[in-house]
Amino acid sequence: MGHVTHAPHGAAPLTFLKGHGTENDFVIVPDPDGLLDLSAADVARLCDRRAGIGGDGLLRVVRSAAHPEAAALADQAEWFMDYRNSDGSIAEMCGNGVRVFARYLQCAGLADAGDLAIATRAGVRGVHIAKDADDGTPGDITVRMGRAVFPDGLVTVSVGDRTWPAVHVSMGNPHAVAFVASLDDAGDLLRAPAVVPAEAYPAGTNVEFVVDRGPRHVALRVHERGSGETRSCGTGACAVMVAAARRDGHDPVHSGHPVTYTVDVPGGRLVITERADGEIEMTGPAVILAQGTVDPVWLSPGIAQHRP
């Protein structure tokens, strides 16, 4: 990380929360009026696990009407999820992030259990927050993730001297899904696996390594573009589900019958359903575990000067 100049005297501290969905964790920054200017360096600093708060990414909570990329969606969704990877790069979509984003809205009194819509760079996503259990356990959150797209062309994934064919899947963001004999085949995932041809993914891709656990039950490890290996990836779990379903001969749009797979991730379990209309639904937990403020003297001027 580079040197960060101290914020001006009297600058307001930056409010944040910390949450996770199946251990895919995020720094959450409420900014309803779109007053913050978070640079890539700011995001990377906040997400740093040793010198910052730590997270696989950052969720900025902005009213759609207050964000230029989402203003056109304001009549469909009040809130926009400005999602950034942990290196500060912008991402189109994050399935676990949407669930955590929805949980934040619920905890902040901005949404109730039931249905709501959230704007993302991949479009508006419908969300359902289940009611809490009788013992107070928060209900799972289901996200309508849109339809999967299978771009034309063959791709391969390589780790070291081993190469596997992969399925190219778009869930609003790119994925390369490789079925392997063991999740250990993915190696340490400290660096992004090689994907060929590179032009299939001009902005890079997420790479999933998948094994079977049983009928309609798979497990994965994932290298997320811009974040490295993460404990879970919601869009990746959806990409894996549809790739496994096609491999197994299931296509709900053609059969007229929905198909559900259980997808185990290192941080827990997600249930993914592809409906007869092609819409994919992801169900899983979301937790807000902490909140606080960042000391103003640690903030960059770019963050502080835009606060009221």
Side-chain angles (χ1 to χ4, degrees), residues 19 52 59 64 72 112 118 125 135 151 163 169 183 211 239 252 271 280:
L59 310 174
S64 297
D112 297 321
I118 294 172
R125 295 292 183 258
D135 64 0
T163 298
V169 183
L183 291 179
V211 297
V271 177
I280 297 169

Side-chain angles (χ1 to χ4, degrees), residues 52-288:
I53 299 163
D56 292 323
L58 181 142
L59 310 174
R60 185 165 69 114
V61 184
V62 191
R63 282 194 172 86
S64 297
H67 197 288
E69 292 183 71
L73 303 175
D75 60 340
Q76 302 175 58
E78 180 180 2
W79 296 99
F80 172 63
M81 182 180 77
D82 176 14
Y83 177 65
R84 316 288 184 89
N85 296 313
S86 62
D87 66 356
S89 59
I90 291 172
E92 305 90 343
M93 175 59 181
C94 176
N96 289 317
V98 172
R99 296 202 319 279
V100 173
F101 189 99
R103 182 70 79 206
Y104 164 75
L105 294 177
Q106 182 187 31
C107 292
L110 300 171
D112 297 321
D115 297 327
L116 71 150
I118 294 172
T120 77
R121 290 186 174 87
V124 175
R125 295 292 183 258
V127 175
H128 180 80
I129 304 174
K131 292 182 179 180
D132 293 351
D134 291 340
D135 64 0
T137 301
D140 281 349
I141 297 177
T142 298
V143 181
R144 295 184 64 175
M145 299 288 288
R147 297 170 65 108
V149 175
F150 294 86
D152 293 334
L154 301 175
V155 296
T156 62
V157 169
S158 298
V159 175
D161 59 0
R162 303 187 65 183
T163 298
W164 300 267
V167 183
H168 187 174
V169 183
S170 173
M171 287 299 308
N173 60 354
H175 298 270
V177 179
F179 293 93
V180 295
S182 168
L183 291 179
D184 291 339
D185 291 342
D188 57 27
L189 290 183
L190 295 176
R191 290 177 292 182
V195 180
V196 176
E199 55 267 27
Y201 300 100
T205 187
N206 305 288
V207 182
E208 288 82 25
F209 296 86
V210 187
V211 297
D212 290 298
R213 293 288 192 231
R216 299 186 187 181
H217 184 183
V218 295
L220 68 82
R221 287 177 64 198
V222 57
H223 185 283
E224 287 199 59
R225 175 187 57 172
S227 296
E229 182 173 14
T230 60
R231 300 282 294 170
S232 180
C233 176
T235 57
C238 294
V240 164
M241 180 271 166
V242 294
R246 298 301 181 274
R247 179 201 62 177
D248 297 340
H250 303 300
D251 187 340
V253 173
H254 290 160
S255 69
H257 300 290
V259 175
T260 298
Y261 276 64
T262 298
V263 181
D264 291 341
V265 296
R269 175 167 289 179
L270 297 167
V271 177
I272 315 293
T273 296
E274 187 177 15
R275 305 187 327 189
D277 62 1
E279 182 85 18
I280 297 169
E281 295 182 336
M282 173 188 61
T283 300
V287 178
I288 304 298

